[in-house]
């Protein structure tokens, strides 16, 4: 998936360290996907004579929601002009992910520095903001009056071509209207265009519009042209947004030439195109729920052939899928409490079959603390089961359900009905198929090609993402790489699914939440 945007951890700050610091520097390292290697990404400027440096230099990173982007910040006291970092005194370090910074309140993360045994190293504050060009979307409608007649056996078939002017004086086409047949007074349909495409964010940049008469053979006849700007268009319908269509050749040949007609702006509206991060910074939480298949088709968990087998040497497919998806989602859930359920098992002590039981055994409080808590509950539940054959506020909450299963769907009609109903809720469903089974029915639920329907009703939007786990297993046995690949694919559609829901309900992100200021710390020298 293409990156959602670029992010800028800025104002990196190390307040109130308890070590005498005279000259400070922060080095950022990034970790490669599927590896343990750290690579230096950049360094801040050097700040003299303060134990509370407030750094200005920014680190510009591409943000990928579907990837776990590990970061490391090392702080040094600079002793010389050497570029060799080992020549300077190490003051402490912290580890985090880019998602943790973005998902923290106000996009501002405070972390304690560590790395020097027996010493308090201070605190570092990391902030992130989205770097983006103008994200506004303009919708406009135009009409024309008394255009030149170009067709011998009719009138004209006019259409408009919009061009954005470039820095070098050339023009780049950015929009074409539809053709209106056989009229000199066309009214074109409203159209939408990113403001960035129209003027590249420069509201006074020239926008040229050509008017053509459409011909079937592609040799369209030039009727005339006019120029405007985004600023002029944004004033909407008024006397200044009636443009004379001029044909320079006709004007040069005919002394009495006035124009080749006029084009009038009928309406103009601008809306903001919000991003996934706008909603996260405004306080939207991703609530993560887990459902795990414990039916007997998984095999006897005490045998190595079982999909639930607990090897002392590596995680099974269920645990890998949980860890791969959960470790990314949890960065966007402030309380890190995840409801986790199992289905298709006989529960002790009476062996009653259940299709929805909490992994932690507590029906009143099914939440597990963090993804590690979910994994621990899964491991504990796994030892005690017999496998069986067979409202929040929408503006602040969006739900992600992870289902991990080895089986095919036996009640497809009811399942499709449930998906169609759920498509109107703030919910995305991730299904990971484990094992060698054929998952054709699952593919049908993943409505990338054909939208899921039930009893004549189409799902309002595509909310299901299905992948077979076997497609992501690294041939060399690298589980970290396998999990990274899985997470990248199953999470890639979540941001767009969240945005489509919010837009369909007219929900706008709240202003970015502010984080509380750091309290003053006393230093002991």
């Amino acid at each position: 998936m293409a990156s959602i945007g670029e992010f800028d951890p800025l104002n990196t700050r190390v307040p109130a360290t308890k070590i005498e610091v005279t000259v400070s520097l922060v080095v950022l390292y990034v970790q490669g996907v599927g590896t343990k290697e750290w690579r230096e990404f950049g360094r801040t400027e050097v700040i003299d004579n303060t134990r509370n440096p407030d750094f200005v230099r920014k680190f510009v990173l591409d943000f990928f929601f579907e990837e776990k982007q590990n970061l490391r910040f090392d702080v040094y006291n600079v002793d010389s002009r050497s570029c060799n970092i080992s020549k300077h005194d190490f003051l402490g370090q912290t580890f985090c992910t880019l998602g943790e910074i973005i998902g923290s309140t106000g996009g501002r993360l405070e972390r304690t520095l560590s790395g020097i045994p027996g010493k308090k190293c201070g605190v570092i504050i990391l902030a992130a903001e989205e770097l983006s060009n103008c994200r506004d979307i303009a919708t406009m409608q135009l009409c024309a009056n008394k255009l030149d007649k170009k067709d011998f056996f009719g009138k004209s078939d006019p259409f408009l071509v919009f061009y954005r002017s470039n820095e070098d004086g050339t023009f780049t086409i950015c929009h074409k209207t539809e053709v209106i047949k056989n009229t000199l007074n066309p009214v074109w349909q409203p159209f939408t265009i990113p403001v960035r495409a129209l003027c590249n964010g420069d509201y006074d940049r020239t926008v040229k519009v050509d008017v053509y008469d459409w011909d079937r053979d592609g040799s369209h006849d030039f009727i005339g042209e006019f120029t405007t700007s985004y600023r002029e268009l944004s004033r909407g319908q008024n006397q200044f947004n009636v443009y004379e269509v001029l044909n320079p050749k006709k004007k040069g040949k005919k002394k009495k030439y006035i124009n080749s007609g006029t084009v009038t702006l009928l309406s103009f509206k601008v809306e903001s195109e919000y991003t996934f991060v706008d909603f996260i910074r405004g306080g939207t939480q991703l609530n993560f729920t887990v459902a795990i298949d414990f039916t007997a088709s998984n095999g006897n968990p005490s045998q190595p052939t079982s999909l639930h087998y607990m090897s002392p040497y590596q995680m099974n497919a269920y645990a890998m899928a949980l860890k791969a998806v959960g470790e990314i989602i949890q960065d966007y859930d402030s309380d890190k409490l995840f409801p986790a359920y199992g289905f298709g098992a006989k529960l002790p002590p009476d062996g009653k079959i259940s299709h929805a039981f909490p992994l932690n055994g507590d029906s009143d409080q099914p939440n597990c603390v963090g993804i590690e808590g979910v994994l621990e509950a899964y491991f504990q539940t796994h030892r005690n089961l017999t496998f069986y054959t067979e409202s929040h506020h929408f503006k602040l909450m969006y739900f992600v359900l992870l289902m991990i299963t080895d089986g095919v769907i036996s009640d497809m009609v009811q399942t499709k009905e449930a998906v169609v109903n759920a498509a109107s809720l703030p919910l995305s469903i991730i299904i990971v198929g484990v094992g060698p089974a054929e998952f054709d029915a699952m593919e049908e639920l993943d409505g990338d090609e054909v939208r899921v329907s039930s009893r004549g009703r189409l799902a309002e939007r595509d909310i299901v993402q299905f992948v077979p786990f076997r497609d992501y297993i690294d041939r060399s046995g690298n589980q970290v790489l396998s999990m990274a690949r899985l997470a990248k694919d199953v999470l890639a559609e979540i941001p767009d699914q969240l945005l489509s829901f919010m837009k369909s309900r007219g929900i706008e992100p709240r202003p970015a939440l502010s984080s509380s200021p750091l309290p003053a710390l006393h230093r002991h020298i």
Side-chain angles (χ1 to χ4, degrees):
M1 178 178 179
S3 68
I4 298 172
E6 290 184 309
F7 285 79
D8 181 7
L10 67 155
N11 294 332
T12 309
R13 184 180 173 210
V14 186
T17 59
K18 296 183 180 180
I19 298 175
E20 185 65 46
V21 178
T22 55
V23 185
S24 302
L25 168 74
V26 175
V27 183
L28 168 63
Y29 296 87
V30 298
Q31 192 173 46
V33 177
T35 73
K36 299 294 184 181
E37 296 180 2
W38 291 98
R39 174 179 61 85
E40 181 177 330
F41 184 85
R43 302 182 183 188
T44 65
E45 75 277 20
V46 174
I47 295 184
D48 299 342
N49 301 318
T50 178
R51 286 171 294 173
N52 299 284
D54 196 353
F55 298 97
V56 175
R57 184 171 296 164
K58 304 169 184 178
F59 302 123
V60 179
L61 302 165
D62 286 332
F63 167 59
F64 299 91
F65 166 77
E66 65 272 19
E67 294 182 9
K68 185 181 181 184
Q69 296 174 267
N70 292 319
L71 308 177
R72 186 182 98 207
F73 295 87
D74 289 1
V75 184
Y76 289 89
N77 179 31
V78 179
D79 290 330
S80 67
R81 294 184 178 181
S82 174
C83 293
N84 186 345
I85 204 68
S86 65
K87 302 293 184 183
H88 308 296
D89 295 331
F90 176 70
L91 299 180
Q93 65 182 184
T94 193
F95 299 83
C96 67
T97 66
L98 184 54
E100 283 182 280
I101 304 175
I102 294 164
S104 59
T105 302
R108 184 174 179 270
L109 181 66
E110 178 183 325
R111 280 292 174 86
T112 300
L113 293 169
S114 61
I116 302 178
K119 290 187 177 181
K120 293 184 178 180
C121 302
V123 174
I124 188 169
I125 299 172
L126 308 165
E129 66 179 9
E130 188 173 11
L131 296 181
S132 61
N133 295 323
C134 176
R135 297 200 305 258
D136 290 344
I137 300 292
T139 301
M140 68 183 86
Q141 183 177 21
L142 300 101
C143 69
N145 188 45
K146 296 182 180 179
L147 295 176
D148 286 349
K149 179 179 178 298
K150 289 291 185 179
D151 294 341
F152 186 78
F153 291 108
K155 297 179 181 179
S156 288
D157 303 323
F159 67 97
L160 304 178
V161 182
F162 285 73
Y163 300 88
R164 177 185 68 247
S165 61
N166 303 315
E167 298 290 344
D168 59 1
T170 61
F171 288 89
T172 300
I173 186 171
C174 57
H175 181 75
K176 284 184 181 180
T177 68
E178 78 279 14
V179 176
I180 306 295
K181 292 294 190 69
N182 196 32
T183 180
L184 303 181
N185 303 292
V187 179
W188 289 281
Q189 291 293 318
F191 68 89
T192 298
I193 184 172
V195 172
R196 181 178 62 255
L198 191 64
C199 65
N200 205 27
D202 180 356
Y203 292 174
D204 295 308
R205 181 172 296 202
T206 297
V207 175
K208 184 167 77 80
V209 183
D210 287 350
V211 186
Y212 284 95
D213 169 46
W214 177 86
D215 284 334
R216 187 180 301 276
D217 62 4
S219 59
H220 310 308
D221 298 321
F222 179 71
I223 296 176
E225 64 185 11
F226 64 92
T227 61
T228 182
S229 68
Y230 171 81
R231 193 178 301 280
E232 290 178 5
L233 292 169
S234 66
R235 295 181 179 131
Q237 184 181 23
N238 60 46
Q239 59 182 345
F240 300 107
N241 275 324
V242 178
Y243 301 95
E244 285 191 299
V245 178
L246 301 177
N247 188 317
K249 288 185 178 180
K250 275 193 172 184
K251 188 175 182 180
K253 292 178 180 179
K254 297 182 180 181
K255 292 183 179 180
K256 294 184 179 181
Y257 176 81
I258 298 176
N259 59 49
S260 295
T262 60
V263 170
T264 300
L265 179 68
L266 295 177
S267 63
F268 190 90
K269 181 177 67 174
V270 178
E271 297 176 309
S272 292
E273 185 182 49
Y274 297 113
T275 67
F276 172 74
V277 175
D278 289 330
F279 284 96
I280 297 300
R281 285 175 59 82
T284 300
Q285 296 285 302
L286 295 186
N287 285 7
F288 183 48
T289 303
V290 174
I292 298 178
D293 181 355
F294 285 97
T295 55
S297 57
N298 285 277
N300 186 335
S302 64
Q303 300 299 317
T305 53
S306 170
L307 295 168
H308 280 292
Y309 178 67
M310 297 294 184
S311 167
Y313 306 108
Q314 62 182 12
M315 291 185 291
N316 64 33
Y318 280 90
M320 288 174 66
L322 277 172
K323 189 175 177 66
V325 177
E327 283 190 342
I328 293 174
I329 290 283
Q330 70 179 355
D331 288 343
Y332 306 92
D333 188 331
S334 59
D335 63 13
K336 306 290 188 290
L337 296 177
F338 305 135
Y341 297 91
F343 61 91
K346 294 180 179 179
L347 303 184
D350 57 3
K352 185 178 180 180
I353 300 163
S354 174
H355 292 291
F357 58 89
L359 294 187
N360 64 4
D362 189 338
S363 299
D364 295 325
Q365 294 292 335
N367 293 331
C368 300
V369 180
I371 195 59
E372 293 302 324
V374 175
L375 285 167
E376 179 58 30
Y378 164 61
F379 296 148
Q380 290 294 336
T381 300
H382 173 279
R383 301 184 185 105
N384 300 317
L385 294 180
T386 300
F387 289 30
Y388 174 67
T389 303
E390 194 195 27
S391 130
H392 288 74
H393 198 296
F394 280 3
K395 289 190 178 181
L396 291 178
M397 298 291 180
Y398 191 85
F399 297 82
V400 179
L401 170 63
L402 172 64
M403 297 183 66
I404 311 174
T405 178
D406 82 316
V408 297
I409 299 174
S410 58
D411 52 355
M412 190 62 174
V413 173
Q414 296 92 325
T415 300
K416 289 170 70 174
E417 176 76 6
V419 169
V420 170
N421 291 336
S424 62
L425 302 174
L427 171 70
S428 292
I429 301 172
I430 297 169
I431 304 176
V432 179
V434 297
E438 293 299 325
F439 294 106
D440 293 348
M442 297 294 192
E443 297 284 3
E444 185 177 348
L445 296 179
D446 190 336
D448 287 341
E449 301 296 332
V450 179
R451 189 68 59 84
V452 177
S453 64
S454 174
R455 294 190 292 182
R457 285 193 307 139
L458 280 176
E460 183 179 315
R461 56 197 183 92
D462 175 20
I463 64 169
V464 176
Q465 173 77 342
F466 168 75
V467 296
F469 184 77
R470 57 177 175 254
D471 291 355
Y472 300 89
I473 297 175
D474 181 65
R475 292 181 179 179
S476 67
N478 186 331
Q479 288 196 333
V480 174
L481 194 57
S482 297
M483 290 189 291
R485 290 172 177 169
L486 174 69
K488 185 178 179 65
D489 265 17
V490 299
L491 294 175
E493 295 182 10
I494 298 296
D496 284 344
Q497 289 175 352
L498 181 148
L499 290 174
S500 72
F501 174 81
M502 298 299 184
K503 187 173 183 178
S504 70
R505 298 299 185 274
I507 299 173
E508 298 184 356
R510 294 180 176 179
L513 299 176
S514 59
S515 51
S516 57
L518 184 72
L521 299 178
H522 298 288
R523 296 188 298 271
H524 302 284
I525 309 302

